[in-house]
Amino acid sequence: MAGDTQQDTAVAVSASVQQLVTVYLKGLAMGAADSVPGVSGGTIAFITGIYERLITAITRLDPTAVFLLAGVHRREGRRRFYDRLLEMDVPFLLALGLGVVSAIVTVSRVMHAALQEAEALTFAFFFGLIAASAVVLYEHMAVDTPGRIAAAVAGFAIAFLVSGVTSGSDVAHTVPIIFVAGSIAIVAMILPGVSGAFFLVLFGQYEYLTGVLTSFVDGVLAVVVGDRAIGSLADAATTVFTFGLGAILGLFTIAHLIRWALDNYRVATLSFLVSLMVGALRLPVERVLDTDPTLAAGSVLPIVLAVAIGGGVVLLLDYFTDDLAY
């Protein structure tokens, strides 16, 4: 009997590990999607069947659970704390979050390099992603009431004005702005159709933050192998920490607000969010024109091709997920 019990326990542990690995892989897909403006990690969550579980787990998070740590020196206290973590589905969130972070670190490095080496083509690619996402999402809603129309107009106007301000190279990267960017980007990550990276582009922080994250990761690796002192990471670490703190605040506050708005004014809220995307198209257009003001014949074709590739990615994603309800 004891042998059977041990075998059953081993099987259960193995199944649990396999489930967490699967969740990690889904997190990789979400993080890769949200690292690119216009592609939604929330849509990937829908595709992989974890969206409702994700939203439920986030809204169940309770910071007061940390007080249970005071009793972990006793067996009963450890059991109570462990059960609370399971109740909040924390193992799921940790595995998913680790996958998301792993992908963001990798993909953001690629995107930062692309912006440095081919800025016009990269922003043309972003234009295709964002434009196609907006078209696809408008097909899933009816903007046919005064309230919805007003929400759409407001979203477009706000994004158009903000993207005009942030299209230049003199955008501030102060701690408060980074904090707010983190709060909003993390919320966008869990919304179907709207990309967290899109909001970073809208606020003029995308290129800066991908560069900081790349420098931070390189710096940590250099410290590990002894090539740099840990003090050299101070600036990059401050930015990463500030963004992360903003993201945590967003999960505990703004996510609940947007969830309420979606539950009570779903179409109007989505109309506002999607129209933000349309208004923000001003930014990639201006960045392309800033890089190549004349748009000579030799540069037009690659730019058009980059737009087509970006749009094609979103349209293919929509084709294979046509039955999803936003």
Side-chain angles (χ1 to χ4, degrees):
M1 292 293 293
D4 291 341
T5 301
Q6 291 177 352
Q7 184 177 6
D8 291 342
T9 301
V11 171
V13 170
S14 177
S16 178
V17 171
Q18 290 178 2
Q19 290 175 1
L20 291 177
V21 170
T22 300
V23 170
Y24 171 80
L25 294 176
K26 292 178 179 181
L28 281 177
M30 283 185 64
D34 252 309
S35 299
V36 183
V39 184
S40 169
T43 298
I44 300 299
F46 259 122
I47 295 170
T48 56
I50 61 172
Y51 185 75
E52 291 300 329
R53 183 179 180 183
L54 172 61
I55 295 300
T56 300
I58 290 174
T59 54
R60 280 182 179 174
L61 286 175
D62 181 7
T64 62
V66 299
F67 294 119
L68 294 176
L69 288 172
V72 296
H73 60 285
R74 298 189 302 270
R75 178 179 298 180
E76 182 182 349
R78 289 193 294 272
R79 170 56 62 181
R80 187 181 299 114
F81 182 64
Y82 177 74
D83 290 343
R84 189 73 180 95
L85 294 181
L86 291 181
E87 181 182 340
M88 294 187 295
D89 214 358
V90 169
F92 164 79
L93 289 176
L94 288 176
L96 189 71
L98 184 59
V100 168
V101 171
S102 299
I104 288 176
V105 168
T106 304
V107 177
S108 63
R109 177 182 296 271
V110 174
M111 298 312 301
H112 182 69
L115 285 169
Q116 298 300 309
E117 300 298 326
E119 182 178 4
L121 292 179
T122 304
F123 273 101
F125 176 69
F126 290 170
F127 180 94
L129 288 170
I130 296 170
S133 295
V135 170
V136 167
L137 288 170
Y138 272 132
E139 293 177 352
H140 292 272
M141 65 186 74
V143 186
D144 55 1
T145 68
R148 295 172 184 177
I149 293 172
V153 171
F156 176 86
I158 290 172
F160 188 83
L161 293 174
V162 171
S163 60
V165 173
T166 59
S167 62
S169 58
D170 56 348
V171 180
H173 307 297
T174 61
V175 168
I177 291 177
I178 298 300
F179 182 85
V180 172
S183 300
I184 296 177
I186 194 65
V187 174
M189 173 174 282
I190 62 176
L191 291 175
V194 185
S195 165
F198 157 75
F199 280 98
L200 296 183
V201 170
L202 176 61
F203 295 147
Q205 304 299 322
Y206 183 79
E207 187 172 357
Y208 169 74
L209 287 173
T210 55
V212 169
L213 182 58
T214 298
S215 299
F216 177 71
V217 173
D218 289 344
V220 170
L221 294 176
V223 169
V224 170
V225 300
D227 289 343
R228 290 176 60 180
I230 194 170
S232 62
L233 295 175
D235 290 341
T238 298
T239 299
V240 172
F241 175 79
T242 300
F243 184 88
L245 197 60
I248 293 173
L249 176 67
L251 282 178
F252 284 109
T253 56
I254 303 176
H256 291 268
L257 176 62
I258 292 184
R259 188 72 250 166
W260 174 86
L262 286 173
D263 289 341
N264 293 276
Y265 306 99
R266 186 177 188 83
V267 177
T269 302
L270 289 175
S271 298
F272 176 80
L273 292 172
V274 177
S275 296
L276 278 176
M277 300 171 71
V278 178
L281 288 173
R282 172 181 179 178
L283 191 146
V285 169
E286 292 191 1
R287 292 298 292 267
V288 169
L289 292 176
D290 287 344
T291 305
D292 190 356
T294 61
L295 284 183
S299 61
V300 171
L301 182 59
I303 288 174
V304 171
L305 183 60
V307 172
I309 292 173
V313 169
V314 174
L315 294 178
L316 282 174
L317 182 62
D318 179 64
Y319 176 79
F320 289 108
T321 60
D322 188 52
D323 60 335
L324 295 179
Y326 291 94

